[in-house]
Amino acid sequence: MNPFIRPYYVLLLVMLLGFCMPPLQAQPNRFDTIEQALKRLAAGDAPGLNQEIKTSLSDVSLRDFIRGIANAHNLNLIVAPDLELSIVANFSDEKAYNVLLFLCKQYDLDIEFQGTIMSIYKFAPPPAEKILPKPKVPQVKYDAAGDRLTLDLRNDTLDAVVRKIIQLSKKNIIPARGLGQQLVNAYIETMPFRDALEKLAFANDLVLSSPEDDVYVLEKKEEVKPDKSGRKGNRRNNRSGSVTEGLQYSVVAGVNGEPLLTVEAVNVPIVDIIKGISKELKIDYLLFAEPEGNATLNFEKISYDDLLSFLLQNTKATYKLDNGIYLIGDRTQEGLRDTRVVQMQYRSVENITDFIPKEFQVGVEIKVFNELNSIILSGSSPQIREVIAFLKEIDQVVPVIMIEVIIVNVTNTKTLKTGISAGTGRGDTTAQTLLPGVDYKLSTRTLNNIVSVLSSNGIVNLGRVAPDFYVTLSALETAGNLKIRSTPKLSTLNGHEATMTIGETDYYAEDRRDIIGSQNPQTAFSRRFEPIQANRTITINPIVSGDEFVTLTISVDESTFKPAGEPNAPRGTENRKFESIIRVKNEEMIVLGGLETITTGKTTSGLPILSRIPLLRYFFSRKEDSKIKGRLNVFIKPTILF
């Protein structure tokens, strides 16, 4: 074949393969998926997505802006709480679904749809697929004819090595519990089977045993084989060579490299647990006095400090870390006491000791340091930590409530005064009042003129009245409205009373007469003015609940002065009081009313017998009716400031 023609065949083959192979399907864009879902909702169950948005934003929280779109267009939107970005934007006549799509692209958001509910959150890319490494195959060879074993192991797991040996030799080998993932290293060339296993165990700090049925068991050196009685070995040799019955433990490294303990003990003396684990972890300690008592416990991955705290919790002993050395002894020893100063951030230390449980105060000296709003604690470290943990729980921000009080006191007064009066006195003047009411006084001269007119008709001769005689006609109705309004504002901490008192003070004279001396008695007079008060007192105790409702305990006590019965006598007081407990939402107003007083009076004077005869009684009597009506209304509005 011509070498110049061969490339054309290759090109033709590539083109044929291109036509025959199915096209690769493009991965759908997540923004296209969101756009299609938004348009589908806009055309169906969520028409608000088609409504246009016209707004201008400057340094507005993204979360608040999306919530505003949901409220304005009746959309079911759930916004993730971590969307606290600030945005600056200007949208003019743009549909809501386009704005949401733009926000998703601009701020890398994602939307999850459930019916008409849209959940908006920060997009998190799916984790990349982890490609697990292929398991390492241990280099093991077995010669069945000579029962010899060859091993070339480099950081192979004991479980994989044992599995490979069993597959080749058909002999059973069992690693002890917890040893399967231990890494082993060894190089053995054509050694007898049992000898090879013994060398493998020796090189990796293990012990090989074959108790029965030709089954090989690999164990740690510290573990003791079961005895003839079949009792399980729960003993562990510590570095001093002593043996502790009923104690098992192991050590693993934590996230930060801190050693974590897995401990199991059954009725083991506390001092033995401390000694054994301290030696295992190579921890320096000084034992002033041995803790008394035994412990049964089972912990997994616990720190050394936490283990000591639990072990010594119900004993008289405690511990203290000093320059890397753990000091263990009686709680009352001076060297083991610790002192801490705890400063409160939000609460006052005043009366704070009343809230600390009595159990926490046993063995801990607590003093209040008002100047720094702090508490001084002195005692054992574990107990101090318990008190500090409790103080942190109650050291929370106390809400401040502002209470607006509007007090409206309305008084309506009505008086009706009618009648005729006559007498002697200064009858030389005539007083005339016709509007707004009749108060007409007829003097002597005016009365004589009227009598002269009546006598001139010749009907009867009435004569003349005395020079100082007068007659008064009265017909007067009065009404008055008095409205007193006060608007104080009170602020107090949650659970503390706020009290307001408004009033006035009056004085009355108190005369005193003292007789001085017995042979020549003298009388001494003294006058002292005593105060008397009429106050309006309002006491409110607010308690804020978690749902922003405020429970108010309200007490209103009002007293007003009444006219004195006699001159220089003390004035009487009229008291009105009510108490109420009510629950109201933050920034909502309530009204308390109904403190109403009605005072009526009726006074009649006239001539005996004549003042009771119909028609004639209007000429021989006077009447005065009065009615005073008072009403007190209180409006209260609580506002939680912070």
Side-chain angles (χ1 to χ4, degrees):
M1 182 180 292
N2 192 335
F4 297 99
I5 301 177
R6 185 178 300 169
Y8 294 101
Y9 282 102
V10 175
L11 179 61
L12 180 61
L13 179 61
V14 172
M15 294 176 62
L16 289 174
L17 290 175
F19 284 113
C20 295
M21 292 179 63
L24 295 176
Q25 294 183 356
Q27 187 70 18
N29 191 312
R30 68 183 181 90
F31 295 116
D32 295 339
T33 304
I34 293 174
E35 183 178 6
Q36 293 174 6
L38 289 173
K39 289 182 177 180
R40 184 169 57 254
L41 282 177
D45 298 331
L49 291 170
N50 281 321
Q51 297 177 2
E52 295 181 345
I53 296 176
K54 185 175 182 181
T55 183
S56 178
L57 308 174
S58 177
D59 196 19
V60 176
S61 172
L62 176 61
R63 185 166 177 259
D64 293 339
F65 175 55
I66 296 176
R67 291 175 61 185
I69 294 176
N71 293 333
H73 300 279
N74 295 325
L75 301 176
N76 297 323
L77 282 174
I78 299 176
V79 188
D82 57 348
L83 296 183
E84 293 297 337
L85 301 173
S86 296
I87 65 173
V88 178
N90 184 29
F91 299 103
S92 179
D93 300 331
E94 188 58 57
K95 292 186 177 180
Y97 72 83
N98 279 335
V99 173
L100 293 178
L101 183 61
F102 169 77
L103 295 176
C104 290
K105 293 180 179 179
Q106 185 70 18
Y107 298 101
D108 197 20
L109 306 179
D110 203 353
I111 304 179
E112 182 178 345
F113 297 89
Q114 183 69 35
T116 61
I117 301 175
M118 293 170 281
S119 178
I120 301 179
Y121 53 90
K122 191 72 176 177
F123 174 72
E129 257 186 59
K130 292 185 179 179
I131 301 176
L132 299 176
K134 294 182 179 180
K136 184 180 178 183
V137 179
Q139 298 298 319
V140 178
K141 294 181 181 180
Y142 176 69
D143 181 10
D147 193 23
R148 293 179 177 272
L149 194 63
T150 299
L151 302 175
D152 186 5
L153 308 176
R154 296 181 182 179
N155 290 331
D156 294 285
T157 61
L158 181 61
D159 186 64
V161 173
V162 169
R163 187 181 298 273
K164 187 67 174 178
I165 295 175
I166 293 174
Q167 290 175 354
L168 296 176
S169 65
K170 308 302 180 183
K171 296 182 180 181
N172 295 321
I173 304 172
I174 301 176
R177 186 178 62 179
L179 298 180
Q181 298 303 315
Q182 179 175 336
L183 300 180
V184 294
N185 295 275
Y187 181 78
I188 300 173
E189 185 75 29
T190 61
M191 185 176 288
F193 186 83
R194 182 179 180 86
D195 294 341
L197 290 183
E198 288 180 350
K199 298 302 180 183
L200 172 65
F202 176 79
N204 294 278
D205 200 22
L206 301 174
V207 175
L208 178 68
S209 62
S210 178
E212 56 185 20
D213 298 334
D214 200 22
V215 177
Y216 297 94
V217 179
L218 289 171
E219 302 173 302
K220 281 188 176 182
K221 281 186 177 181
E222 294 84 355
E223 294 181 356
V224 179
K225 304 176 186 178
D227 56 17
K228 295 181 180 180
S229 63
R231 189 173 60 184
K232 186 177 179 180
N234 286 332
R235 297 187 298 173
R236 175 181 294 273
N237 295 326
N238 59 21
R239 294 181 180 176
S240 63
S242 63
V243 177
T244 301
E245 292 285 348
L247 174 63
Q248 287 184 344
Y249 55 85
S250 61
V251 184
V252 296
V255 178
N256 299 323
E258 178 188 9
L260 299 179
L261 296 160
T262 298
V263 186
E264 181 179 356
V266 178
N267 198 24
V268 179
I270 295 176
V271 64
D272 291 345
I273 298 176
I274 295 175
K275 289 180 179 179
I277 294 178
S278 299
K279 290 182 179 180
E280 177 71 21
L281 298 179
K282 297 180 180 179
I283 292 177
D284 298 328
Y285 68 93
L286 179 60
L287 203 61
F288 291 104
E290 293 188 355
E292 298 179 356
N294 295 0
T296 299
L297 54 89
N298 185 12
F299 290 121
E300 289 189 5
K301 296 182 179 181
I302 187 173
S303 66
Y304 182 80
D305 285 36
D306 291 340
L307 179 63
L308 282 182
S309 298
F310 284 117
L311 286 174
L312 305 178
Q313 188 170 15
N314 293 324
T315 67
K316 296 180 180 180
T318 185
Y319 75 93
K320 179 181 179 181
L321 182 61
D322 188 5
N323 295 326
I325 301 175
Y326 285 87
L327 307 179
I328 303 173
D330 195 273
R331 295 176 185 266
T332 59
Q333 289 181 340
E334 188 65 27
L336 297 178
R337 295 182 65 84
D338 194 6
T339 302
R340 298 283 297 275
V341 178
V342 183
Q343 186 177 37
M344 306 298 288
Q345 300 295 325
Y346 307 107
R347 296 185 61 91
S348 171
V349 295
E350 186 179 0
N351 300 327
I352 195 69
T353 55
D354 297 339
F355 301 100
I356 300 177
K358 298 297 182 182
E359 294 80 6
F360 291 169
Q361 300 185 32
V362 176
V364 179
E365 185 179 358
I366 303 175
K367 291 186 178 180
V368 176
F369 193 6
N370 291 317
E371 287 78 1
L372 294 180
N373 196 39
S374 303
I375 296 177
I376 302 175
L377 303 175
S378 178
S380 64
S381 297
Q383 288 179 294
I384 289 178
R385 286 199 296 268
E386 289 182 352
V387 177
I388 293 176
F390 174 78
L391 292 176
K392 288 183 179 179
E393 289 291 331
I394 65 174
D395 190 18
Q396 304 292 334
V397 177
V398 180
V400 176
I401 303 97
M402 182 184 69
I403 305 171
E404 299 179 59
V405 183
I406 301 176
I407 304 171
V408 180
N409 196 354
V410 181
T411 303
N412 298 324
T413 305
K414 291 184 180 180
T415 304
L416 178 61
K417 183 178 180 182
T418 60
I420 300 175
S421 62
T424 59
R426 295 189 60 183
D428 55 348
T429 59
T430 299
Q432 302 177 8
T433 301
L434 299 178
L435 291 176
V438 177
D439 189 4
Y440 203 95
K441 180 179 179 181
L442 301 177
S443 65
T444 304
R445 181 178 177 182
T446 304
L447 289 173
N448 287 329
N449 291 336
I450 295 174
V451 171
S452 299
V453 172
L454 294 176
S455 301
S456 63
N457 292 331
I459 301 174
V460 63
N461 187 5
L462 298 177
R464 300 177 64 87
V465 298
D468 56 353
F469 185 79
Y470 69 91
V471 175
T472 301
L473 303 178
S474 298
L476 179 64
E477 182 177 358
T478 59
N481 291 325
L482 178 62
K483 184 175 182 180
I484 301 175
R485 176 187 175 98
S486 56
T487 58
K489 292 183 180 180
L490 308 174
S491 294
T492 183
L493 291 176
N494 183 32
H496 292 261
E497 288 186 352
T499 303
M500 180 203 68
T501 300
I502 302 174
E504 58 180 318
T505 303
D506 196 6
Y507 296 87
Y508 66 92
E510 186 179 82
D511 295 332
R512 180 175 179 179
R513 187 178 64 176
D514 297 325
I515 299 175
I516 303 174
S518 57
Q519 296 180 355
N520 297 316
Q522 296 180 359
T523 303
F525 292 92
S526 62
R527 172 171 289 185
R528 184 174 60 180
F529 290 91
E530 293 291 337
I532 182 173
Q533 291 184 338
N535 298 324
R536 179 185 294 117
T537 302
I538 297 179
T539 302
I540 301 176
N541 188 353
I543 298 177
V544 180
S545 57
D547 53 359
E548 289 195 352
F549 274 82
V550 183
T551 302
L552 300 174
T553 302
I554 305 168
S555 176
V556 179
D557 192 352
E558 183 187 37
S559 59
T560 56
F561 284 124
K562 296 173 63 177
E566 297 180 1
N568 297 327
R571 299 170 63 182
T573 58
E574 180 179 349
N575 298 322
R576 290 182 287 180
K577 181 178 180 180
F578 73 83
E579 295 180 354
S580 177
I581 299 178
I582 194 168
R583 192 167 184 261
V584 62
K585 195 173 183 181
N586 181 30
E587 297 187 2
E588 286 189 354
M589 181 172 286
I590 59 172
V591 58
L592 302 174
L595 289 180
E596 186 176 77
T597 59
I598 299 177
T599 304
T600 59
K602 186 174 182 181
T603 304
T604 304
S605 61
L607 292 174
I609 300 175
L610 294 178
S611 62
R612 301 180 183 178
I613 299 175
L615 297 180
L616 291 179
R617 64 183 180 185
Y618 295 107
F619 298 97
F620 298 98
S621 66
R622 291 172 60 89
K623 183 176 69 172
E624 182 177 352
D625 294 335
S626 63
K627 182 177 182 181
I628 302 174
K629 183 178 180 181
R631 185 178 183 87
L632 176 66
N633 293 323
V634 181
F635 299 84
I636 298 176
K637 176 185 176 182
T639 301
I640 303 174
L641 298 182
F642 55 85

